[in-house]
Amino acid sequence: MESARIIATVARIVRDVGIAEELAQDALVSALEQWPRSGVPDSPGAWLTAAAKHRAVDLVRRRETYARKLAEVGRTLSEESYDPEPSGPGDIDDDVLRLVFTTCHPVLSADARAALTLRLVGGLRTDEIARAFLVPEATVAARITRAKRTLAKEGVEFEVPYGEERAARLGSVLEVVYLIFNEGYAATAGDDLLRPGLCEDALRLARGLAVLMPAESEAHGLSALLELQASRIPARTGPDGRPVLLADQNRSRWNRLLTRRGYAALARAGDGRSYGPYALQAAIAACHARAASYEETDWATIAALYGRLGALAPSPVVELNRAVAVSMTEGPAAALALVDALAAEPALARYHLLPSVRGDLLARLGRTEEARAEFERAAALTRNESERELLLGRAGEATGARAGKSRRGAP
């Protein structure tokens, strides 16, 4: 939970994210050794951060090339609290944001940026990142290792950039924050559907980016999207922790404060005609938030927004989502044709939501045996235990369902 902040704090001292991660891990090892004897401190995060900073100072002292810097760093770190560096115009005093912009530096490939940021900022394991990108775990491990070496070799500064350089890195930063939120909102693996800590970290980063870059529509669009999506979290699981489908969610449990924050952020993103991909997704989420019930959802507008999104940022996942909206406006048969056209997409070959959506459409058409097979295939593809149980349950429902009856929506 504290790793991103510890790494970010130490990275400001040693100017090397790879070394910062190692020092943070050293601090965690010290905690495992000392806390069983001394007890867990009142502020574990502060203890870990202080331990990591002390190791950073020791490292700096051992490097003669840092001699002049040592005097300044040593005076700062000798104090009990850690004062942030002075801000310049347009800067922001947030070590984690600095870490995100550093790990999203253009000297790295797009894949390497995402993998390294998810590892250091999101705290994801290598296998979780591999699952998110649908690539082998060894590939992700190699990307992360090469990325750390490249940042060190190029001497990349640990900072939030200014001007054109900041704008050039924004797209990559927004993408990574979005991926971190998604992993928290629907975990790719494990027993739980949600990882709320990741959602909170992503929300904080998105809000910070919107403050940092008030003229960037997509920064506000991402902030709006995450606020609106996060507003549903309290209703996405039942008391037993099992997923609750969108159609069955108790909307009185949706967080209306986050909903209002999402509307406000979307308004700052523009007038709608110039929306980028994140703002368009936020507009879709706003349609769901404004509906008093599942039946009253404006599916026609949602289908149209997905059409605009697909034209602006083509993706088989966007097309799959559009098919769901089409099924609610034109019926399951029209949507099934769209879904079947996606069957050959390599990116969806092991994407469990493809057979899940297809199973739902088949169930609504009364083709229950085919629906059962699709739900079982989806269950076999997911690595999340909560989703697997849900999908197997739907397979059982399909077997005993009457023709044309189904449960609607997605968690």
Side-chain angles (χ1 to χ4, degrees), residues 330-353:
E330 302 178 28
L336 185 60
L338 297 175
V339 172
D340 287 345
L342 298 171
E345 287 285 347
L348 299 183
R350 299 193 59 78
Y351 188 56
H352 71 283
L353 292 183

Side-chain angles (χ1 to χ4, degrees), residues 16-40:
D16 186 309
V17 294
I19 293 175
E21 185 182 24
E22 292 174 5
L23 294 174
Q25 291 172 348
D26 287 346
L28 292 169
V29 171
S30 293
L32 290 172
E33 293 173 344
Q34 295 184 37
W35 290 358
R37 298 192 304 268
S38 62
V40 179

Side-chain angles (χ1 to χ4, degrees), residues 246-294:
L246 179 60
D248 300 328
Q249 288 177 13
N250 179 356
R251 298 189 176 212
S252 67
R253 296 188 64 202
W254 288 7
N255 187 319
R256 296 303 171 185
L257 173 60
L258 294 182
T259 298
R260 290 193 295 271
R261 291 180 67 107
Y263 293 154
L266 186 58
R268 290 191 290 271
D271 60 7
R273 288 171 294 184
S274 59
Y275 279 171
Y278 294 113
L280 284 172
Q281 292 177 76
I284 292 168
C287 284
H288 288 293
R290 292 189 180 102
S293 67
Y294 186 83

Side-chain angles (χ1 to χ4, degrees), residues 316-333:
V317 174
V318 170
E319 189 65 10
L320 181 63
N321 285 322
R322 187 175 77 86
V324 173
V326 168
S327 77
M328 303 303 294
T329 56
E330 302 178 28

